[in-house]
Amino acid sequence: MATTQNFLPELVGSMSQGAAGNPTVAVMEAAFTHHGLHWRYVNMEVAPADLGNAVRGAKAMGFRGFNCSLPHKVTVIPHLDGLGESAGIMGAVNCVVRRDDRLIGENTDGKGFLKSLAPVVDPRGKSVVLFGAGGASRAIAVELGLAGIKKIIIVNRSPARGAELVTLLRDKLQLDAELAVWTGDYAVPADIDIVINGTSIGLYDGDARLAVDTHTLRPGVAVADVIFSPPLTRFLRDARARGCTVLDGLGMLVNQGIVAVQLWTGITPDADVMCHALENALGL
Ligand code: NDP
C-alpha cells in the first residue's frame, strides 16, 4: 500500500561551516514528525568558496529553503533573488525561503526574539537598553525598531561596532538610537522598560558576569538574555532577584525555529514539541 513515505520528502536544511552537533536538526525534525509533515532538515557543510554553487544546487534540487549560519549570513545575499524587510535593513540572512521559483532571504534571529518577548511586554513605545552590537544584537535592534520602540541605547565595548549599529538604526529606521561605550559597570537609566544582553558573555559559563550595576534594574523591567546555554545566566538570576521579569535565550532560539517552519511550510508548529526537542538536544 502506498504511504506518503514513498514520495520524496520536501527538503530544508542548514548551510554552515562546522555544523556538526547543530541542535536545530533535532528541533526541526521533531516539528515535522509531530505535524505529520514528510519533510527533512539536513546539515550541509559548505566552505565559503562553494557557497554560490551550494545555493544554486539547493535551488536546482527543489529545496524549500535553508538556514545559513556563520560564515555565510552576509555573503549569501548576492546569490539570492530578493530579501525580506528586516534582512534587507540589517544586511544579514539566516533563513532562505523559496517563494515560487525565487529564493528570498529572511532573518529570523530578531523575529524569534520578538516572539519570545510578546507574552511579557509589547515593545511599541518602550525604551530599551541593548548590550552588544554583533549579529544577534543587530537583528534584535532592527526588529525592535520595526516594532515601534521609542528609543534604544546600544551599550558596546568596541566603539566602532557600536557606532555602526547606531548609525544603521538612525539612517534606515529613523530610530532614536544612542551609543554608550561600555567601560565599567553600566548604570541602567531609570526610564528604561526593556534590558537585553545580546553579547556572548555567559555562553557555557553560568558564572560569567555582565558588567551592569544590577541595583539600577527596576523591579518589573523586562530583562532578556540571548544566551541559551545555560538558560538561566548570572545576569538573569541577578535580574530576577531584583524583581524583574526575565526571558532566557532558549525562548528566542525555539521561536526562531517556529518562525522558520512557518515561513517554509505555512503551518504554525507546536512550541512545546520544539522546546522539548531543543532541551533534549542541548542535554538540559
Ligand atoms: P558576535 O560575535 O557577532 O558579537 C558578540 C558581541 O558580544 C559583540 O557586541 C561583542 O562586543 C560582545 N562581547 C563579547 N565578549 C565580550 C566581553 N568580554 N565584554 C564585552 N562585550 C563582549 O556574536 P553574535 O551577535 O552572533 O552572538 C552573540 C551571542 O548570541 C552568542 O553567544 C550566540 O550564541 C547568541 N545567539 C543566540 C541566539 C538565540 O536564538 N538565543 C541567536 C543568535 C545568537 P565587541 O563588539 O566589543 O567585540
Side-chain angles (χ1 to χ4, degrees), residues 109 132-136 156-158 161 182 198-201 203 226-228 249 252-253 256:
D109 277 333
N156 202 53
R157 176 182 60 178
S158 138
R161 190 131 76 139
W182 201 357
T199 75
S200 44
I201 298 167
L203 186 65
V226 295
I227 299 302
F228 51 83
M252 174 178 169
L253 199 54
Q256 273 194 63

Side-chain angles (χ1 to χ4, degrees), residues 108-231:
T108 60
D109 277 333
K111 292 187 202 308
F113 176 79
L114 242 63
K115 217 170 156 64
S116 65
L117 187 68
V120 171
V121 58
D122 176 358
R124 184 169 299 277
K126 300 296 191 299
S127 298
V128 178
V129 160
L130 173 60
F131 294 97
S137 299
R138 206 174 169 92
I140 289 169
V142 166
E143 291 293 349
L144 286 170
L146 290 171
I149 55 168
K150 182 175 162 199
K151 73 164 184 183
I152 189 164
I153 304 172
I154 303 295
V155 185
N156 202 53
R157 176 182 60 178
S158 138
R161 190 131 76 139
E164 193 186 323
L165 177 53
V166 166
T167 302
L168 180 148
L169 297 170
R170 286 181 183 160
D171 290 355
K172 298 205 173 166
L173 295 172
Q174 288 72 53
L175 192 58
D176 179 353
E178 65 181 77
L179 172 65
V181 177
W182 201 357
T183 50
D185 282 6
Y186 181 78
V188 177
D191 64 341
I192 294 298
D193 309 291
I194 303 170
V195 181
I196 306 156
N197 173 33
T199 75
S200 44
I201 298 167
L203 186 65
Y204 307 128
D205 182 358
D207 294 325
R209 180 176 178 273
L210 207 70
V212 185
D213 178 355
T214 47
H215 294 103
T216 60
L217 291 171
R218 282 184 299 109
V221 164
V223 176
D225 204 318
V226 295
I227 299 302
F228 51 83
S229 184

Side-chain angles (χ1 to χ4, degrees), residues 31-50:
F32 297 154
T33 303
H34 180 76
H35 293 283
L37 294 171
H38 188 36
W39 286 54
R40 297 305 308 268
Y41 186 97
V42 287
N43 271 339
M44 294 166 282
E45 183 79 14
V46 178
D50 295 326

